[in-house]
Amino acid sequence: MFRVTQPRSFATLRMTNKVLQMILVQKYGGSSVANIKKVKNVARRVVAAKRKGNQVVVVVSAPGDTTDELIDLAGKISKLPNRREMDMLLSTGEQMSVALLAMAIHELGEDAVSMTGYQVGIITDEVHGAAKIEDIDARRMKAELAKGKIVIVAGFQGKTANHEITTLGRGGSDLTAVALASVLKAKVCEIYTDVDGVYNADPRIVSNARKLPVISYDEMMEMASLGAKVMQSRSVEVGKKYDVPILVRNSMNNAEGTLITKENKKMEKVLVSGITLNEDEAKVTILKVPDKPGIAAKVFSKIAEGNINIDMIIQNKSTTNYTDISFTVFRSDLKRALPVIRKAAEAVKARGIQVDDNIAKVSLVGVGMKSHSGVAGKMFSALAEKGINIEMISTSEIKISCVVDGRRGKEAVRAIHKKFELGKKK
Ligand code: ASP
Ligand code: MG
């Protein structure tokens, strides 16, 4: 390593010292480290951030589709692989990335050390495959930073108090990054991905979708869970809880990105922040259920016992003595869910069940909705004008979701986006 040291005045020295105390956490997703060329690109960016006077902690995901490939491998051996061994397997993807990135940084003349979640001391509960972080030991990271090193941490993994390796659920590297930023009191947590930031609709669906300069935690959480695949929703929740500013940026350019932060008055002036599409759910209707107290309780506790997550639920008071109950489940759960739902239907003497696995959920998100009326009506008109039928509706303080025919989901997104004039101004 070769560096030129220049004499500095006291003033700049003092300034540098101050800047040096700033910790920056950067996270690079799988697509940003998918091959060696990209790993080298990340190394250059990390080194640049360090040379600007930051103490840098980098979190990386497994390269490209590695995690999916590992899951496939396990699937070739067992239909239901042991969850502990699954974590042992999946955690290797991230371990590959951290080592390669450390080497690439060394080649650029900076000191870096890679660490697994285990080595850092990211302590989780014992739920393999979906572990929750309970505690993070910041000591080793801080010691390495103090030695002038760049610290590279494997995302998505931790260990239990009993020294078992765990993983945090898909997309969990975001969570690692936000949690580290929180314990290290970083000035910002930068999430690097393959898009320029958070858009007000998926640019692959709406060609003139606009990138948002800023969005609130709550809106981002809704958008993440409603199908905008930019960030893992739990990580945004943690960011909100611990007040970590999160900046989503593109690892391949210098675009400004989207800042996820606390809600402010200015945001409320914006009526709609985003439109999302979720095509991963299916609708189930339990037909002709006796309309009397306790029935819904019975149905849904049976379904919950089967560990099946329900999203939207609709039931109306009937004029006869019977009613239908409709709800949505993840399509990936459907196979597993159907026998359980059938049993629940039998238990309440319903006539039967009906399944529609070709639905789409279109949602509109915006904190501005809290202080403005007429948003729902306008959304429904956009759909009506296209002759798109609404099958289910659900709302929260900052969100309206409609279930429509699966074949018309994308069209619905475009129609709503246009109605609210959310496109780029040309
Ligand atoms: N590699 C893990 C996954 O693909 C974690 C992550 O990418 O954040 O889910
Ligand atoms: Mg990944």
Side-chain angles (χ1 to χ4, degrees):
M1 186 171 116
F2 187 78
R3 246 195 278 169
V4 188
T5 334
Q6 283 173 336
R8 292 184 181 123
S9 72
F10 271 111
T12 51
L13 226 145
R14 231 181 288 130
M15 245 174 62
T16 324
N17 269 338
K18 213 165 155 195
V19 176
L20 270 179
Q21 288 160 1
M22 293 288 229
I23 297 180
L24 175 65
V25 173
Q26 297 190 325
K27 179 254 170 178
Y28 292 88
S31 58
S32 303
V33 290
N35 56 43
I36 292 301
K37 203 172 146 205
K38 288 187 169 178
V39 171
K40 288 182 178 172
N41 166 62
V42 169
R44 280 192 296 275
R45 299 190 78 114
V46 171
V47 166
K50 164 98 201 306
R51 290 183 181 162
K52 271 192 197 144
N54 295 294
Q55 290 189 321
V56 188
V57 173
V58 190
V59 175
V60 253
S61 292
D65 297 326
T66 305
T67 308
D68 288 321
E69 287 159 17
L70 292 172
I71 292 172
D72 284 350
L73 277 184
K76 290 196 172 121
I77 293 178
S78 166
K79 268 210 189 92
L80 210 69
N82 177 282
R83 294 174 78 88
R84 175 192 184 273
E85 303 307 333
M86 207 56 200
D87 278 355
M88 198 64 126
L89 178 66
L90 295 191
S91 62
T92 61
E94 270 69 15
Q95 197 169 333
M96 215 153 47
S97 298
V98 287
L100 291 171
L101 181 57
M103 293 173 198
I105 291 175
H106 295 159
E107 287 300 309
L108 298 176
E110 285 291 336
D111 210 350
V113 57
S114 67
M115 286 195 242
T116 61
Y118 193 113
Q119 287 174 308
V120 170
I122 298 178
I123 310 297
T124 72
D125 65 15
E126 316 211 322
V127 185
H128 286 288
K132 285 213 167 66
I133 298 178
E134 289 179 340
D135 193 23
I136 295 177
D137 189 345
R139 283 174 300 182
R140 169 93 192 267
M141 287 186 293
K142 282 189 176 156
E144 301 290 356
L145 289 173
K147 287 185 224 158
K149 290 189 193 179
I150 293 165
V151 174
I152 307 169
V153 179
F156 171 61
Q157 54 178 263
K159 66 170 215 173
T160 67
N162 290 325
H163 313 291
E164 296 285 11
I165 293 177
T166 49
T167 64
L168 310 177
R170 297 307 304 267
S173 298
D174 288 340
L175 184 60
T176 305
V178 174
L180 290 186
S182 160
V183 294
L184 293 166
K185 301 192 173 57
K187 59 175 176 181
V188 59
C189 179
E190 296 181 336
I191 302 284
Y192 284 94
T193 174
D194 53 3
V195 292
D196 286 358
V198 182
Y199 284 77
N200 64 6
D202 184 339
R204 285 165 304 185
I205 300 173
V206 183
S207 58
N208 67 346
R210 231 184 317 151
K211 190 185 72 185
L212 302 167
V214 31
I215 186 169
S216 71
Y217 292 114
D218 287 332
E219 288 169 313
M220 191 63 228
M221 264 149 68
E222 286 286 8
M223 293 197 21
S225 60
L226 292 171
K229 293 177 185 80
V230 205
M231 265 196 93
Q232 189 215 35
S233 133
R234 188 140 66 97
S235 66
V236 185
E237 197 181 325
V238 170
K240 180 185 178 187
K241 187 163 169 201
Y242 297 104
D243 223 340
V244 180
I246 301 169
L247 186 59
V248 180
R249 302 186 68 187
N250 193 329
S251 63
M252 299 307 284
N253 64 35
N254 285 315
E256 259 185 36
T258 300
L259 180 67
I260 310 172
T261 181
K262 264 194 291 227
E263 190 177 318
N264 60 44
K265 279 271 163 289
K266 226 170 126 194
M267 290 177 184
E268 274 184 33
K269 292 205 182 103
V270 184
L271 206 54
V272 179
S273 292
I275 314 289
T276 63
L277 176 66
N278 184 335
E279 296 180 310
D280 300 327
E281 291 184 17
K283 179 176 149 193
V284 180
T285 304
I286 303 184
L287 299 163
K288 234 178 150 199
V289 179
D291 194 6
K292 60 181 189 207
I295 295 290
K298 206 161 175 184
V299 168
F300 290 103
S301 22
K302 286 249 184 285
I303 292 172
E305 278 163 28
N307 258 323
I308 289 144
N309 285 317
I310 299 285
D311 184 21
M312 295 163 94
I313 302 179
I314 287 200
Q315 196 228 288
N316 210 338
K317 168 113 190 64
S318 68
T319 43
T320 63
N321 291 326
Y322 295 94
T323 181
D324 296 341
I325 304 179
S326 292
F327 50 89
T328 62
V329 297
F330 291 111
R331 193 174 297 135
S332 56
D333 279 349
L334 190 60
K335 245 202 193 138
R336 200 166 59 85
L338 281 181
V340 178
I341 298 169
R342 260 193 208 106
K343 270 217 187 93
E346 274 164 28
V348 296
K349 299 195 168 58
R351 186 203 278 160
I353 67 172
Q354 206 173 52
V355 182
D356 182 356
D357 68 352
N358 194 8
I359 60 162
K361 186 170 78 180
V362 186
S363 309
L364 181 157
V365 176
V367 291
M369 237 182 268
K370 289 196 226 173
S371 47
H372 295 78
S373 55
V375 179
K378 196 164 168 183
M379 177 181 184
F380 303 154
S381 320
L383 297 175
E385 282 157 18
K386 294 278 173 196
I388 298 174
N389 189 38
I390 302 171
E391 297 179 24
M392 299 169 95
I393 301 169
S394 82
T395 62
S396 80
E397 213 181 14
I398 62 165
K399 173 206 81 179
I400 305 165
S401 297
C402 295
V403 167
V404 300
D405 181 343
R407 284 159 300 195
R408 306 197 68 183
K410 293 188 173 70
E411 189 188 353
V413 170
R414 285 191 282 266
I416 299 164
H417 198 266
K418 190 160 178 210
K419 186 90 179 169
F420 284 89
E421 295 170 37
L422 300 177
K424 260 190 291 225
K425 307 268 179 305
K426 277 178 199 127

